Amino acid sequence: MTDDVKLAELLPESYELPSQSIEEMEGDVWSATDFPSPLVQRVYNYRKLPLSELGLEQVRLLIGQAVGLEHLVPIAIDVLDRHPRVCASMYDGDLVAVMGREEIGSYWADHGELAERFLRAVEANIASEANKEIQMNFLQIRKRLKP
C-alpha cells in the first residue's frame, strides 16, 4: 500500500468518517514552531487534516506517536475488522504492529471491547506471518493484551 490509500477506501460506503481534524475534535491547537524533526512536522500537519481526508499511512504514523488515539483507534479497528493484514506502508500487518506497541498499552487497558477486536487482528497476523521476526512481534503483542 502507499500513502495515497485513504481510510474511506478501506471501509464500507456507508461508513461516515468525521469531517473534523484531531486538532478540532480535541480542542487542542498546537502552535507552529521550529520543528525538531520531519516526523514532528508531519504529526503537526496531520493533526490539522479532517479525519475523512487521512490516508492509512498517516493514521499509522499518528497512532505510532500516540496522537489522537481516542479518535483514530476505533476507526483503525474498523479497518482491521475488514483487512486484518492491511499494509499501511512498510509490510503486511504494519498497522497491527504499531497499534500493539507497549506505549499504547494503557489505551487497551481502558478500552476492553476494542482490545478484543484488536486481538482478533493480532491472531490473524500470527497465523499468516511467514517472517519469524515479525511473527514474534505479533506474539509479544498478544502476550501484552492477554497475559
Side-chain angles (χ1 to χ4, degrees):
M1 277 216 185
T2 67
D3 294 350
D4 298 330
V5 176
K6 300 293 183 197
L7 286 174
E9 296 174 37
L10 300 168
L11 295 163
E13 283 185 34
S14 60
Y15 198 99
E16 291 191 37
L17 287 164
S19 60
Q20 300 93 354
S21 67
I22 291 170
E23 189 174 83
E24 292 169 326
M25 295 170 90
E26 293 181 348
D28 182 19
V29 178
W30 293 0
S31 59
T33 183
D34 290 331
F35 298 101
S37 73
L39 174 63
V40 175
Q41 173 75 56
R42 289 197 319 262
V43 169
Y44 174 84
N45 291 338
Y46 296 166
R47 288 183 76 253
K48 295 182 172 303
L49 293 174
L51 269 61
S52 58
E53 294 180 18
L54 286 175
L56 187 61
E57 170 54 16
Q58 293 165 324
V59 169
R60 187 199 66 79
L61 186 140
L62 288 166
I63 290 174
Q65 297 303 306
V67 171
L69 296 179
E70 291 295 325
H71 310 289
L72 296 175
V73 169
I75 296 168
I77 294 292
D78 290 339
V79 169
L80 291 173
D81 283 345
R82 294 173 59 93
H83 311 279
R85 292 194 36 85
V86 71
C87 171
S89 67
M90 301 185 310
Y91 56 89
D92 290 347
D94 61 353
L95 181 61
V96 169
V98 79
M99 291 173 68
R101 292 179 51 206
E102 283 185 63
E103 296 86 347
I104 301 173
S106 63
Y107 178 88
W108 298 120
D110 295 337
H111 298 84
E113 183 181 322
L114 287 175
E116 285 298 317
R117 288 174 58 201
F118 178 60
L119 189 56
R120 287 194 295 270
V122 171
E123 295 291 350
N125 280 278
I126 290 170
S128 303
E129 185 55 58
N131 180 308
K132 294 300 177 195
E133 185 177 327
I134 295 172
Q135 187 179 50
M136 288 302 296
N137 182 34
F138 292 133
L139 288 167
Q140 290 171 348
I141 292 169
R142 179 175 65 188
K143 185 175 180 179
R144 281 195 297 274
L145 288 171
K146 208 169 136 176

